[in-house]
Amino acid sequence: MKKVMFVCKRNSCRSQMAEGFAKTIGEGKIAVTSSGLESSRVHPTAIQVMSEIGIDITDQTSNPLSEFNADDYDAVISLCGCGVNLPEAWVLRNVFEDWQLDDPDGKSIETFHRVRDEIKERVEKLVESLQ
C-alpha cells in the first residue's frame, strides 16, 4: 500500500481536507498523513465544509513535518506551493506534486467550497494514479 503525505504551510485547511478525502476515496488503497511546515489547528471552517459532504475530519490533528521521516512515504503532495521550502528528501520521493491551491483561511465560505472541490478532484486522480 502506497503511503502519501499531504503537506501545507500550517496543516490547517487544505492539507486537512486532502487527508480527509484521501482517507475516504483511497480507503484500503493508500495510507495517508498530513502535516505542515509548522503545526496549528484543524480549521473549524474546513471541518464544516467537509462535514457538509459527509466526511468527518474532527479527529485529525495538525502536525509539523519534522515529526515524520521522508523515507516512509511514496508520494508527497504540497498544497500551497511550499515545495520550495521542503527539505530535499521530501521533494525527491517517487511522486512529488505541488498543487498550489488558494489558501481559504480568512476567506469566504464560497472559497472554502471551491478549494474543497478542487482538492477532491485532485485526490481522486492521485488515488487512481497510485494503484
Side-chain angles (χ1 to χ4, degrees), residues 4 28-29 38 45 54 76 81 95 122 124:
V4 179
K29 301 173 189 164
E38 55 193 69
T45 311
V76 177
V95 175
R122 289 175 184 244
E124 286 171 340

Side-chain angles (χ1 to χ4, degrees), residues 42-115:
V42 182
H43 198 291
T45 311
I47 293 170
Q48 176 192 330
V49 299
M50 292 300 283
S51 71
E52 290 171 5
I53 57 168
I55 297 176
D56 181 3
I57 63 170
T58 54
D59 289 339
Q60 292 178 193
T61 57
S62 179
N63 303 296
L65 183 66
S66 57
E67 287 183 359
F68 302 95
N69 180 350
D71 292 338
D72 293 339
Y73 293 87
D74 302 292
V76 177
I77 309 298
S78 162
L79 288 100
C80 61
C82 67
V84 294
N85 297 317
L86 295 179
E88 188 177 41
W90 290 97
V91 179
L92 296 177
R93 302 320 308 147
N94 291 342
V95 175
F96 175 80
E97 295 180 14
D98 204 335
W99 290 354
Q100 301 194 24
L101 300 168
D102 292 339
D103 185 355
D105 191 12
K107 309 261 181 10
S108 69
I109 190 77
E110 290 80 17
T111 301
F112 269 90
H113 286 142
R114 178 178 54 78
V115 171

